[in-house]
Each structure stands twice: as C-alpha cells, then as structure tokens.
Amino acid sequence: MTAKPQLRTINVTRYIAPLREGGSLPALAEADDDFKYVLKFKGAGHGVKALIAELLGGEIARTLGLRIPELVFANLSEDFGRTEADEEIQDLLQGSQGLNLALHFLSGAINFDPVVTNVEAELASQIVWLDSFITNVDRTFRNTNMMIWHKELWLIDHGASFYFHHSWANWESHAKSPFALIKDHVLLPKASLLEETDKAFKAILTEEKIKEIVDLIPEVWLDWEDAEESPQTIKKVYADFLLTRLANSEIFIKEAQNARQKSI
C-alpha cells in the first residue's frame, strides 16, 4: 500500500531574484531549510488557479514516475517584501502573503533543447499522455518547460494546465475534449507508444489516488470570488474532471495520434 502524497511547508526567508519568463513573475527565493526554490505567487496573473494547476499537474506527473522537482507549500509573512525596491515586485509580494507554492531549484540545470537531446519513444509518449490528460497548453517548441539536470529530463511548470477552471463552466464537456492543442507539443513526433502508455497509466491512476492528489489542494486556495461552490465541492469537480477524462482517454489519445501522423 502506497503512502498518501504529502507536501512539506517552508517559510520563505529571502527573495533573491525575479525569473521573468512568462507573465507570472516567479522568483528564485531561499527558505528556512536553507534550500533555494522557484516560488510561484498566488498574487500573480491567474492567482490560486495557476497554483492549483501546478500542484495537481506536478503531483500527477510524480505519481506516474516522471521526474519533477519537489513541490512545497511556501509561506510568505506579512513583513516579506516591504524593502523590495521594485514597486511591481513589492505589490506582488504583498498580494501573496500567506500560502503559496514553490518548486525545488535545480541548480545547474539547463533548458531542454529538442535539437540537442534525443528523447526515447517511451518517455516522449508518457509526457505527451500527461499533457493531454491535464490539458497542458505549455510544452511547445517555443517554451518546452523541461530541464536537463544530471543528464536526466525533468518537467517543470504545469500552471497552464486545467484551463477549464478559468471559466468554471461545462467541465464535463472539457473533460471529454480531444485537446486539439496537443498538435503543438514538442515531443509529439517521438510519441509512438501512446496506447501502451495509456494502459499503463490508467492502472496507476486509480480513483483513490486521484482523490488523494486533489485533496492536497489547501482550502485557503478555494475561496473564489467567482464561484458559489464550497471548497469541498470545488475539489469534487477537479476529481470528477480527472476521473471523467481518464475514463474517456481514447478521445485525447486518438487526437494525439492523428496530430502526430500529420507532424512526421
């Protein structure tokens, strides 16, 4: 019997530098455990929904055996950021007091370059399956969101996944969508083992496991101004979305296979 997934909680002690890739202004920061982290802020563009996507996407990837930096909950105190000279960053820090999310910083890692690094069919198929499943729009040639660290491929940044939650309507239809944007996936040409991957991953992602991952979402991230539902109801929608998508995986598998045929 596998243990339930858990995340550590750290306290951010030092803001080191902004990482200006994308519009959410993540930052390199240090915590009270003396490790460095890439800090994602609830006060940024898409707020807590991007953190929820990061949390769910990352922990699903980890459950499936893919490499992802450790995710931790990251506390920002009320005093944090008051001495920051940049007004935009100060506003971001002040608007992110409380619980945020961070990824362990992979020191010395380099961006994945598909021209330089060959990815085998099995791993490519696993990553394409994951991104089709969680509707991750952001693993393209323009922005691969993968790193090479100690000669191994690591996945980062799943905050653009689960885009249905930005409108929070018709989640059932989104759960059964083919996810046409998979055509832009950087690893799609290599993903020749999608059916085999589908069978293996559906055996891992049991209903119990999915509910355990969804249950990691802190309730303080579920008090949405644009939703009347309770935190528990919102969690149930996320779980139902994933379970429905899993039960209908042939829809997104077929879409990816058709797109792959056109790309090779």
Side-chain angles (χ1 to χ4, degrees):
M1 183 176 178
T2 58
K4 289 185 178 181
Q6 294 181 334
L7 266 66
R8 294 188 300 119
T9 299
I10 52 99
N11 297 301
V12 181
T13 56
R14 184 165 69 102
Y15 182 98
I16 299 174
L19 302 171
R20 295 188 178 272
E21 297 87 352
S24 61
L25 285 182
L28 180 63
E30 193 171 56
D32 56 357
D33 60 358
D34 294 328
F35 287 111
K36 292 183 176 66
Y37 295 89
V38 176
L39 185 58
K40 304 293 185 79
F41 298 101
K42 66 180 181 180
H46 289 302
V48 293
K49 290 183 180 180
L51 302 190
I52 291 169
E54 189 80 65
L55 172 60
L56 296 180
E59 288 306 304
I60 289 169
R62 189 188 318 284
T63 297
L64 294 174
L66 297 167
R67 295 184 185 88
I68 176 172
E70 181 191 10
L71 286 168
V72 297
F73 294 124
N75 269 317
L76 284 186
S77 71
E78 291 184 9
D79 296 329
F80 198 86
R82 287 182 178 173
T83 59
E84 173 59 47
D86 186 304
E87 187 173 330
E88 181 184 13
I89 293 175
Q90 186 178 106
D91 289 344
L92 177 64
L93 297 177
Q94 291 295 304
S96 300
Q97 293 173 1
L99 201 64
N100 297 270
L101 192 72
L103 294 87
H104 199 99
F105 178 60
L106 302 180
S107 180
I110 59 173
N111 288 326
F112 168 76
D113 184 341
V115 176
V116 174
T117 302
N118 179 55
V119 179
E120 297 295 331
E122 182 179 14
L123 180 57
S125 300
Q126 291 173 344
I127 296 171
V128 168
W129 189 98
L130 168 72
D131 291 331
S132 294
F133 178 51
I134 64 175
T135 62
N136 181 18
V137 303
D138 209 5
R139 192 108 61 203
T140 66
F141 281 92
R142 184 179 62 85
N143 190 21
T144 65
N145 280 328
M146 293 184 286
M147 308 291 289
I148 301 297
W149 192 54
H150 296 301
K151 299 181 180 180
E152 294 177 328
L153 188 66
W154 291 71
L155 308 183
I156 61 169
D157 201 348
H158 298 91
S161 308
F162 299 93
Y163 58 83
F164 84 93
H165 64 185
H166 295 295
S167 62
W168 204 246
N170 300 319
W171 68 262
E172 294 98 335
S173 62
H174 282 284
K176 297 178 182 179
S177 71
F179 192 53
L181 291 174
I182 199 64
K183 64 181 176 59
D184 299 319
H185 199 287
V186 65
L187 296 180
L188 184 62
K190 301 279 189 178
S192 59
L193 300 173
L194 288 170
E195 290 184 3
E196 293 87 342
T197 299
D198 184 54
K199 182 177 180 181
F201 280 1
K202 289 176 81 168
I204 295 171
L205 290 176
T206 62
E207 180 175 352
E208 180 184 19
K209 181 59 66 177
I210 284 176
K211 289 181 176 179
E212 287 175 354
I213 293 171
V214 170
D215 203 46
L216 289 169
I217 304 172
E219 292 206 359
V220 293
W221 289 358
L222 297 172
D223 184 16
W224 300 350
E225 292 181 0
D226 58 346
E228 297 178 356
E229 295 90 347
S230 69
Q232 286 304 314
T233 300
I234 293 174
K235 281 188 179 184
K236 186 176 186 304
V237 171
Y238 278 113
D240 288 347
F241 171 86
L242 288 166
L243 291 169
T244 301
R245 193 151 183 81
L246 195 63
N248 294 275
S249 62
E250 71 278 358
I251 297 174
F252 65 76
I253 291 297
K254 183 177 179 181
E255 178 71 22
Q257 288 174 327
N258 289 343
R260 180 176 175 271
Q261 289 302 315
K262 294 176 183 178
S263 70
I264 57 177

